[in-house]
Structures are given as C-alpha cells and as structure tokens.
Amino acid sequence: MPRMVQLRAMKFSWLAGSLVISAIALAMVGCGPASEKATVSAPPMTEIAASGTPEAPREVTIEVGDHMKFSVTRIEAKAGETIRLLLVNTGSAPKEAMGHNLVLLKAGADSTAYANAALKAKANDYIPAELSADVIAHTKLIGGKSRDAVVFTVPTEVGEYEYICTFPAHLQLGMKGVLVVQ
Ligand SMILES: [Cu+2]
C-alpha cells in the first residue's frame, strides 16, 4: 500500500475508534492491509444521535394508608408535561375493606357528583364508566402493601384540577388534592 493511502486509512480508523470502543480493535487492524474494513464499521453519525434516550416523565409519588388522606395534596405542574404518578398504599387493609385510588378530574367536573356515581360502580372498582369523559387519568383501586402507576399528560390549560379517591366516603373524609397547572 502506498504510504499516503496508508496514513489516510489510519486517520480514518482513529476516528472510528473514538466513536465506538469496539472499533478500537479494528482501528489497530487498520494499520495493516485490512484498513478498508475499519472505515466501513464506523456507525453513521445519525445512528448515534437517534440512540439517545427520550426525556423520561416526571415522577410524582403519593402515599396513602389506613387513614383517609393523600400524602401529597397539591402537585404543581407545567402545562403539557408528562407525569408518572405512583400511588403507594402503605396500609394493611385489603382493597375490599378499605382500598384507595386516585382519580384526576377534568376542569369543571363535579367531584361530589363523580364520587356519588362511583358508589354504584363497585364492580368496576368505583370508577363509573358513564362519567369517563370527566377523567384525565386514574389509578387502579389498591389495597394495603400495593402500588399502581399511571402516566398522563398534564392539560395545556392553566388552572386547578381536582384529584380524589372514590372509595365510599373517602372524598367526604377529605381524601382529595389538586393539580395546579401553571
Ligand atoms: Cu381512599
């Protein structure tokens, strides 16, 4: 191989090695007659850019237990952001005796009317199907030592959005909070 061509091949190989660790071995081979292989093995730049991880949703954890309260009663959020809401029940009662859920309602939805409708939806874990248009997102009904997560997009409209537990009487006992969109 003419010396000029060999030098160019080495330079190319060095670039490949700096991109991918596995290419280092090939870069060494590149000093010899097999240099063509090393340049082919370098991944195109577009591939590297595409492999970057997308932004993960913001995690919000809310604890509940054998008392009728959410540990977090106010969540401040940016319009349109993605939230992964994790509901953790640290209590011990089974869900049939005293379960909890978290139902985030749309602006303008009547939380008391929703909770009243939920009373008749025991078979559906107190999520009334006929009022699904009132709901932004909800978790499952969970008993003690259980957890459930729900991922949702925060509304783009600035305002306050109520969230409640729809297990019988829990809203009346104060099991509610508010998502504040700014
Ligand atoms: Cu509850």
Side-chain angles (χ1 to χ4, degrees), residues 26 29 35 52 55 63 68 76 83 85-86 91 97 101 108 143 148 158:
L26 286 165
V29 174
S35 59
E55 206 178 313
E63 285 188 6
M68 276 61 78
E76 293 186 354
I83 287 180
L85 197 148
L86 177 65
N101 61 13
D148 187 45
V158 168

Side-chain angles (χ1 to χ4, degrees), residues 14-28:
W14 179 84
L15 273 170
S18 70
L19 285 172
V20 187
I21 291 173
S22 66
I24 290 171
L26 286 165
M28 290 169 76

Side-chain angles (χ1 to χ4, degrees), residues 68 98-101 165-167 170 175:
M68 276 61 78
M98 192 174 65
H100 300 293
N101 61 13
C165 173
T166 62
F167 193 87
H170 285 195
M175 201 160 181

Side-chain angles (χ1 to χ4, degrees), residues 62-66 87-95 98-100 142-148:
I62 300 183
E63 285 188 6
V64 292
D66 292 341
L87 188 68
V88 179
N89 189 341
T90 58
S92 52
K95 78 171 187 177
M98 192 174 65
H100 300 293
I142 55 171
K145 308 280 175 284
S146 304
R147 54 179 57 202
D148 187 45

